[in-house]
């Protein structure tokens, strides 16, 4: 049985045929149960005949799952969720006019902006990720549209929209 920590991401990767029509609306989901708790998670097509289902348990214990789908074979299994030993407090939620983690601890957002970061050369992206991992910031704003600024004349590798001449 797989063992994961509370608030850790569990991922099932399944093999099936390329979906017909929409790659977004696919018939692939899993039901996770832990005693009386039941959570249904929609899967998605991730390309190359692969489907994924991701689940983050909020409670410890044994979670049983079953995959129901017309695009992949049925799958049944179990994962054991144990209390986390690290610094993972879970997802951030709204609490009144403030924020908190799922475990109830306070979340104070402290961020910065990287406007055209996703359109920079790979070396600069990696350097930025390393630098940010050493910083006190716990969030970052990014612009997905390319910008033409004094220090940025790079065309992005991929555009978030169709581009013509």
């Amino acid at each position: 049985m797989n063992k994961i920590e509370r608030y850790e991401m569990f991922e099932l990767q399944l093999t099936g045929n390329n979906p017909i029509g929409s790659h977004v609306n696919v018939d692939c989901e899993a039901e996770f149960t832990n005693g009386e708790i039941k959570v249904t998670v929609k899967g998605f097509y991730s390309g190359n005949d692969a489907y994924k289902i991701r689940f983050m348990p909020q409670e410890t214990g044994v979670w049983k799952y079953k995959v129901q789908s017309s695009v992949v074979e049925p799958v049944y299994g179990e994962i054991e969720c144990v209390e986390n030993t690290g610094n993972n407090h879970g997802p951030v939620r709204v609490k009144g006019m403030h924020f908190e983690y799922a475990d109830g601890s306070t979340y104070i957002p402290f961020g910065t902006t990287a406007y055209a970061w996703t359109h920079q050369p790979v070396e600069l992206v990696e350097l930025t990720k390393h630098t940010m991992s050493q910083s006190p910031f716990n969030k970052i704003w990014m612009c997905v549209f390319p910008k033409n600024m004094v220090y940025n004349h790079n065309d992005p590798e991929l555009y978030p929209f169709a581009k013509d001449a």
Side-chain angles (χ1 to χ4, degrees):
M1 179 183 329
N2 289 324
K3 196 178 269 194
I4 66 170
E5 292 188 353
R6 186 177 186 194
Y7 307 126
E8 185 180 349
M9 188 66 64
F10 172 71
E11 181 177 276
L12 280 171
Q13 181 160 325
L14 310 162
T15 302
N17 294 329
N18 192 347
I20 297 170
S22 174
H23 282 195
V24 177
N25 296 319
V26 295
D27 176 32
C28 181
E29 67 180 31
E31 182 179 273
F32 292 83
T33 57
N34 179 350
E36 297 295 314
I37 304 169
K38 185 188 300 185
V39 179
T40 302
V41 179
K42 188 165 173 44
F44 62 95
Y45 182 69
S46 68
N48 299 321
D49 296 332
Y51 291 80
K52 293 183 180 182
I53 297 173
R54 294 180 178 152
F55 173 64
M56 179 190 298
Q58 305 283 312
E59 302 294 333
T60 59
V62 175
W63 288 86
K64 296 180 180 188
Y65 61 87
K66 61 181 177 181
V67 175
Q68 301 169 358
S69 170
S70 63
V71 293
V72 299
E73 294 294 320
V75 176
Y76 302 88
E78 295 181 344
I79 57 173
E80 182 181 2
C81 177
V82 298
E83 197 57 62
N84 72 57
T85 57
N87 197 22
N88 186 348
H89 300 286
V92 175
R93 300 178 176 158
V94 174
K95 182 180 181 183
M97 297 293 290
H98 302 282
F99 298 100
E100 72 177 6
Y101 288 103
D103 69 0
S105 59
T106 302
Y107 172 82
I108 299 172
F110 184 63
T112 188
T113 305
Y115 284 106
W117 176 65
T118 57
H119 309 304
Q120 300 305 315
V122 173
E123 300 80 28
L124 184 56
V125 168
E126 291 304 316
L127 176 61
T128 303
K129 285 173 20 182
H130 174 73
T131 303
M132 291 298 294
S133 73
Q134 307 299 311
S135 78
F137 299 117
N138 58 18
K139 71 176 184 174
I140 184 170
W141 291 274
M142 293 187 293
C143 181
V144 296
F145 296 104
K147 295 223 174 242
N148 187 344
M149 301 183 305
V150 175
Y151 298 106
N152 180 45
H153 298 285
N154 299 331
D155 278 332
E157 182 179 336
L158 300 171
Y159 282 88
F161 51 85
K163 181 180 188 261
D164 59 23

